Amino acid sequence: MKTKRYAEAAKKIQMRTAITFVVTLVSTLVACSGKDSKSHVFKPKLDVNSTDKIVIAGNYANFEALEAEIDRFNTYYPNVEIVYNFLDNYNAAIQTAIFGSESPDIYTTFQWMLDKEKYSPLFENAEDMSDEKKTGISLGSISKSLLYHQDNGKIPMIPVLCYSHGMIVNEDLFKKHGLEIPTTYSKLIEVCSKLKDAGYKSPILSHDSSLAMIPQLIQTHFCREMKKNPDGVASLNALDPSAGEYMRSSLEWIEKFRDTGFIDLDECKKLKNNYNDVILTFFEGNVPMVLVDATVVSGTKKREPLSEAFTARPFKYSFHPVPTTDDALFFVNASSVEFSVNKNSPNLDMANEFMRFLTRVPELNNLARTKGLITSSTDYSFDEVYSALKKAKPIYLNETGLTDNVFIQLRNAAFKVMHGEMSVDEAVKNFGNF
């Protein structure tokens, strides 16, 4: 198993110092402006002179936001060493690491792992976070809709960062053409039509892959449909072939939108990847809208100075849901990163103490701001890039009851319809075979 610290010591100290200053400043402002700031004051429960060592295993090669939180924790426990280990090939490596002689005290887990049997040991070996008397951790600062409960009521992981699906918009281009960012499907069609007439070959751009394109377009649409049809969730999760009918309306939407020509698939094929190339292409300044999720948005700030075009001609951009109907605007809110505590950790008390520190509104919000993702806290505040989500209604992915295997089927089916490789009828009939 290969592990590595993600920065050299000297650079890391400089970076952590700078980030800590910014995060501390933001936290102070949040605490001062909060209605109940006293409830967020952290008071150590263990010996502040403790010399424990905590290892956190994760899949982010760069997790400066967590490092900043570690620095803040060390102001209370200066002698506790907390090490973040990036694991190469995390999904496979963590299964080995959890049973190794140097198993992590805390490790990242994800909702998509829940219906995959091979990841069961990760949750079986996780501390039950619902037991506040044992852990000392109160989950009152986290949105209840984000918490996953096992059948026995246990909570094996805590959401610390969230994401959503949608599009990133060049606001300056919209202003240039006198357009408003669309909040309904009719307005989306109207805006795309005007942009097309103005010479934009593909008013909406996307990396040409099922993960990059399909969730951003129709996952919210599909989740809304299933909120209306909760009786179908069980058959979908069982991959019952007849359950494909529940995808029909979303697939018909994809087909209808494809036929507008507002996404040029040939242009989409030019994008080499769904991260760096998508961001830098958007920063060229001549793309009105790009389909992305919040994990892509999180990489924009770091890449602003890497784009000569953006440096020379910076513009305002923001994240928005893709409107698929003419009624209320919705967006999917789902956990991006969750932390599980190894119940067999020799440093269990201190591992839980760090999680008690982290799962407070100021720390969760600081973590989200620094990482460029969405907070999991009950203080549902967004930075400027995500401010449009304040006007939309959240659909919590966790509350739909749908498993990751269902979304794998939806993505593949819709991708084939989008590319004309299958009709809607064919895609519906092939549910469970993708």
Side-chain angles (χ1 to χ4, degrees), residues 144-405:
K144 293 180 180 179
S145 298
L146 293 169
L147 293 171
Y148 169 74
H149 294 79
Q150 293 177 312
D151 292 339
N152 57 12
K154 293 183 178 180
I155 299 176
M157 54 186 181
I158 297 180
V160 295
L161 289 168
C162 292
Y163 75 101
S164 186
H165 303 291
M167 58 186 179
I168 194 166
V169 175
N170 183 328
E171 293 191 22
D172 287 13
L173 277 185
F174 272 69
K175 289 181 180 179
K176 175 183 176 181
H177 295 287
L179 301 173
E180 293 185 358
I181 298 172
T183 56
T184 67
Y185 180 69
S186 296
K187 290 180 179 178
L188 177 67
I189 295 302
E190 179 183 345
V191 162
C192 286
S193 180
K194 290 181 177 179
L195 288 168
K196 192 94 170 182
D197 291 342
Y200 296 94
K201 189 174 182 181
S202 188
I204 299 178
L205 196 63
S206 171
H207 180 246
D208 188 36
S209 62
S210 61
L211 271 171
M213 185 179 294
I214 302 306
Q216 332 317 340
L217 284 175
I218 63 163
Q219 188 147 320
T220 301
H221 186 283
F222 178 66
C223 288
R224 285 192 67 192
E225 290 298 303
M226 293 316 302
K227 293 279 279 188
K228 301 174 189 175
N229 299 283
D231 292 341
V233 171
S235 59
L236 281 167
N237 288 343
L239 300 184
D240 183 334
S242 65
E245 281 297 327
Y246 291 108
M247 297 192 304
R248 181 176 292 277
S249 62
S250 296
L251 296 178
E252 288 175 344
W253 188 94
I254 278 283
E255 184 179 54
K256 179 176 68 172
F257 192 67
R258 177 200 68 193
D259 291 344
T260 64
F262 296 143
I263 296 182
D264 189 308
L265 296 178
D266 289 333
E267 290 297 304
C268 294
K269 286 180 171 64
K270 295 178 182 178
L271 295 176
K272 298 175 182 177
N273 59 69
N274 190 38
Y275 198 75
N276 196 64
D277 198 41
V278 163
I279 296 171
L280 293 180
T281 298
F282 178 68
F283 281 162
E284 289 294 313
N286 55 6
V287 179
M289 295 167 277
V290 179
L291 299 177
V292 295
D293 62 22
T295 58
V296 177
V297 178
S298 71
T300 55
K301 282 296 179 185
K302 287 183 179 180
R303 282 159 183 79
E304 286 182 6
L306 301 179
S307 169
E308 293 183 6
F310 188 86
T311 302
R313 297 176 299 279
F315 56 85
K316 185 178 180 181
Y317 59 91
S318 53
F319 179 81
H320 299 261
V322 176
T324 57
T325 66
D326 284 334
D327 56 7
L329 186 64
F330 289 83
F331 72 98
V332 166
N333 189 12
S335 61
S336 174
V337 174
E338 307 215 22
F339 279 155
S340 293
V341 175
N342 186 349
K343 67 181 182 182
N344 301 310
S345 164
N347 307 300
L348 185 58
D349 288 345
M350 189 58 73
N352 282 334
E353 181 74 344
F354 177 72
M355 291 303 299
R356 185 175 74 87
F357 167 80
L358 188 64
T359 53
R360 294 155 52 251
V361 168
E363 309 311 328
L364 290 171
N365 288 355
N366 288 336
L367 187 71
R369 287 188 184 94
T370 308
K371 186 59 183 173
L373 287 170
I374 300 171
T375 184
S376 63
S377 83
T378 52
D379 179 7
Y380 212 56
S381 59
F382 301 100
D383 62 20
E384 189 175 11
V385 172
Y386 295 113
S387 61
L389 297 184
K390 294 178 182 178
K391 300 177 182 179
K393 297 181 179 181
I395 295 177
Y396 292 97
L397 193 62
N398 197 41
E399 290 185 335
T400 66
L402 296 165
T403 62
D404 185 59
N405 282 335

